[in-house]
Amino acid sequence: DVIEDKDCKELLKKLPKEIYDILDKAGDVGDRLNEKVYVVGGFVRDLFLNVENWDIDLVVEGDGIAFAIELNKELKGNTKLYKEFGTGMLELENGKTIDIVTARREYYEYPAALPKVEKSTIWSDLFRRDFTINCMAIQLNKDNQGKLIDYFGGFTDLKNKRIRVLYNLSFIEDPTRIFRAIRFLARYNFSLDEETKSFMEQALGENMLSKLSNDRIKEELVYILKEKSLSESLRLMQDLRILSSINNNLNISNEIIDKINSIKSYQDQFKDIFKDINIVLVKVMILLSEVEAEAINGLLDLFCVNKEIRSKIYNGLISKSKVYELLVEEDLDKYCLYQSLHTLSREAILFYYIDSDNAYIRHYLMFYTLNLQNKNISITGEDLKQLNIKPGPIYKDILDYVLEAKIKGLVYSYEDELALAKKHYKALKGEKNV
Ligand code: ATP
């Protein structure tokens, strides 16, 4: 379980040229400034796992800001500098970013606090990190290019597919690491080192998750939601009773985990019809599908990043029983189907499809998606004005009437629509005159 520095150098050279060039230039800049520079963390982990990773994190023993400015001269991107933290970010033309930090030591004033920072060496910079597999660095300076820095046995753990923390209080100091462990366990199909597991259970036993703000929990949960391995993460979190300890309404059944697991196959099956939807929304709806209506709002605080997403999810969940009730009818009118679904997101429609195993419901959902969801009329208020109809609530009555006829297949062309609008206007006027 050892890797020679020369092998590491070879691995760097096998990277896509664009990435290698960046690392090579970083080494040059380090040499010029007479500072040691390393690529660290997830990048190194994924290099050994042969997984492409464009998140280049550099650590500089010296002045990260000056380094960022110099490197940017070579790479010609944009810099964002955070002088008070000694960190910087380069945004390259291809949209990728490079993070640069001054080697630093972090310490916690009290458990679960946000860390305080001070300047330091690569050792302390690695020691502040979460798991051994994320604690490796590779030096980039020319004379030592490819030198692996692995103080904590990360390489062996990687080979043994093991997630291990660096010290016993790791989860107590930063309970978000519990979620990070879950994410890496699920993503790489690794297992938790026995001792690490006992540290985690101890932190959970001491209810450390309750010390995190909803926002910090949300950030971690959203990362987990975005991973392909979500169902595996859920299984792990259920085993460790993590979700119910955050909120006791969050009990994820095996059926839910199976549904989450099936999303991929539906995505493949419907790749043309549902191609540009946000699949994370579908995942959250499935996750919360067994939760009582009153508890939904509280739980959405843990999953939703913005108002729009939140309301799409909320409406999808809240409307479910009403939609299902209607869609089991044998001879459902097309317009009625349209009306019951058209205010809902497409994510909600896919959620219902996955959630329900009723053949009628599924048939109607598909019929709506293929035939009705994009139905629109061609005439507008402007056309009604041309007909000398006085603007007012009557416009909506007329346009809705025409839309209904269109959906039922009674009108096709613009002219048909216009004629029907006229006719309906007359009828409405007639009614009022009576
Ligand atoms: P991903 O592949 O999901 O991006 P990553 O390991 O690159 O994984 P980041 O969240 O980008 O994850 O973090 C970058 C590095 O910072 C990690 O590799 C780890 O060393 C360190 N790190 C991030 N969060 C923590 C934390 N809560 N505690 C300790 N170290 C952390």
Side-chain angles (χ1 to χ4, degrees):
D1 286 344
V2 285
I3 182 163
E4 309 263 338
D5 294 344
K6 66 172 178 11
D7 299 333
C8 240
K9 192 168 174 168
E10 278 313 302
L11 279 179
L12 291 182
K13 288 201 164 142
K14 279 198 206 128
L15 284 166
K17 187 175 177 322
E18 298 164 271
I19 299 183
Y20 177 75
D21 284 349
I22 293 171
L23 301 179
D24 197 44
K25 284 179 179 152
D28 287 341
V29 171
D31 287 347
R32 234 184 296 144
L33 298 178
N34 200 18
E35 291 175 341
K36 288 185 182 160
V37 55
Y38 309 85
V39 60
V40 300
F43 184 92
V44 177
R45 174 197 70 216
D46 287 342
L47 178 77
F48 293 138
L49 290 173
N50 203 13
V51 173
E52 179 157 320
N53 187 336
W54 253 102
D55 289 332
I56 303 180
D57 287 318
L58 301 178
V59 172
V60 180
E61 275 182 6
D63 181 352
I65 299 291
F67 184 94
I69 294 170
E70 276 307 299
L71 182 60
N72 195 51
K73 284 185 193 157
E74 308 268 339
L75 300 177
K76 307 193 169 41
N78 286 310
T79 50
K80 278 200 181 133
L81 304 174
Y82 305 93
K83 296 208 167 116
E84 62 282 28
F85 301 109
T87 66
M89 189 168 84
L90 306 189
E91 290 172 339
L92 305 185
E93 236 167 41
N94 63 8
K96 312 284 185 192
T97 56
I98 301 171
D99 282 305
I100 295 164
V101 310
T102 307
R104 63 186 191 237
R105 189 176 84 88
E106 276 177 8
Y107 57 94
Y108 298 83
E109 289 188 313
Y110 53 91
L114 287 168
K116 298 265 175 192
V117 179
E118 68 187 19
K119 246 190 190 183
S120 186
T121 59
I122 187 71
W123 187 91
S124 339
D125 194 276
L126 295 175
F127 190 62
R128 75 186 166 88
R129 291 166 188 267
D130 48 3
F131 309 114
T132 58
I133 61 164
N134 289 337
C135 286
M136 291 178 278
I138 297 177
Q139 198 172 345
L140 301 174
N141 303 76
K142 279 291 125 68
D143 288 347
N144 286 310
Q145 195 189 44
K147 179 176 174 187
L148 177 66
I149 311 288
D150 180 14
Y151 297 117
F152 311 103
F155 190 78
T156 307
D157 285 337
L158 207 53
K159 289 285 150 192
N160 292 329
K161 299 170 167 272
R162 201 160 52 199
I163 301 292
R164 192 159 59 90
V165 287
L166 309 192
Y167 51 94
N168 58 348
L169 293 181
S170 188
F171 293 117
I172 303 262
E173 284 184 352
D174 180 357
T176 64
R177 290 173 184 160
I178 294 173
F179 296 108
R180 291 180 59 84
I182 298 292
R183 187 152 61 89
F184 294 122
L185 286 166
R187 185 198 289 172
Y188 299 119
N189 200 12
F190 279 15
S191 52
L192 200 55
D193 161 74
E194 276 305 312
E195 207 182 18
T196 298
K197 186 170 181 190
S198 73
F199 297 149
M200 187 191 281
E201 283 166 345
Q202 187 193 345
L204 288 168
E206 289 177 28
N207 223 346
M208 291 310 292
L209 290 181
S210 66
K211 308 227 171 230
L212 294 172
S213 67
N214 272 350
D215 278 349
R216 290 189 77 194
I217 294 179
K218 176 170 65 189
E219 197 178 343
E220 297 301 328
L221 287 179
V222 171
Y223 280 135
I224 290 177
L225 286 171
K226 287 184 176 164
E227 299 262 337
K228 287 200 191 87
S229 53
L230 173 61
S231 50
E232 196 43 42
S233 291
L234 291 171
R235 237 170 247 129
L236 289 164
M237 289 197 282
Q238 276 310 73
D239 287 350
L240 292 156
R241 295 199 190 80
I242 290 177
L243 292 173
S244 49
S245 87
I246 306 173
N247 183 314
N248 48 23
N249 292 310
L250 249 191
N251 239 320
I252 306 295
S253 67
N254 290 335
E255 287 76 42
I256 288 188
I257 297 183
D258 290 344
K259 281 177 190 164
I260 294 275
N261 207 12
S262 71
I263 293 179
K264 181 79 185 69
S265 70
Y266 289 107
Q267 266 184 300
D268 291 345
Q269 189 182 341
F270 300 132
K271 60 178 175 301
D272 298 326
I273 352 182
F274 287 109
K275 62 172 174 290
D276 43 9
I277 64 170
N278 182 349
I279 205 71
V280 171
L281 271 61
V282 180
K283 293 178 181 176
V284 177
M285 286 189 252
I286 295 177
L287 274 183
L288 303 185
S289 58
E290 291 173 3
V291 170
E292 300 285 327
E294 309 78 61
I296 291 175
N297 247 323
L299 286 171
L300 286 180
D301 289 341
L302 295 172
F303 291 102
C304 292
V305 279
N306 68 43
K307 262 198 189 147
E308 193 194 332
I309 288 181
R310 191 184 175 110
S311 85
K312 280 186 179 177
I313 295 175
Y314 186 79
N315 290 335
L317 288 168
I318 287 295
S319 313
K320 186 175 101 167
S321 54
K322 225 174 52 206
V323 167
Y324 284 10
E325 242 168 67
L326 194 73
L327 270 54
V328 287
E329 280 179 29
E330 228 169 284
D331 280 316
L332 185 60
D333 169 84
K334 282 182 194 165
Y335 186 58
C336 193
L337 175 64
Y338 174 87
Q339 276 187 312
S340 68
L341 298 179
H342 90 281
T343 53
L344 293 163
S345 63
R346 299 174 59 229
E347 286 84 356
I349 308 286
L350 181 57
F351 157 57
Y352 296 155
Y353 196 93
I354 297 173
D355 180 70
S356 163
D357 47 16
N358 180 291
Y360 283 105
I361 295 179
R362 287 187 150 194
H363 161 78
Y364 283 126
L365 290 169
M366 212 22 77
F367 182 84
Y368 168 80
T369 303
L370 295 173
N371 304 303
L372 303 183
Q373 72 171 343
N374 295 323
K375 274 260 190 292
N376 242 323
I377 51 174
S378 319
I379 60 166
T380 63
E382 208 37 56
D383 293 298
L384 301 186
K385 241 191 225 162
Q386 297 291 320
L387 294 175
N388 287 325
I389 303 174
K390 205 169 133 227
I394 196 169
Y395 273 40
K396 186 171 170 352
D397 293 343
I398 298 172
L399 295 174
D400 280 352
Y401 186 80
V402 175
L403 177 65
E404 178 172 349
K406 180 117 179 198
I407 285 171
K408 289 180 169 165
L410 304 173
V411 289
Y412 295 96
S413 65
Y414 171 82
E415 287 74 23
D416 288 349
E417 288 179 18
L418 206 59
L420 186 67
K422 259 191 233 168
K423 195 170 141 202
H424 189 57
Y425 173 61
K426 275 192 192 137
L428 285 174
K429 226 172 54 174
E431 264 173 37
K432 285 215 179 96
N433 288 344
V434 166

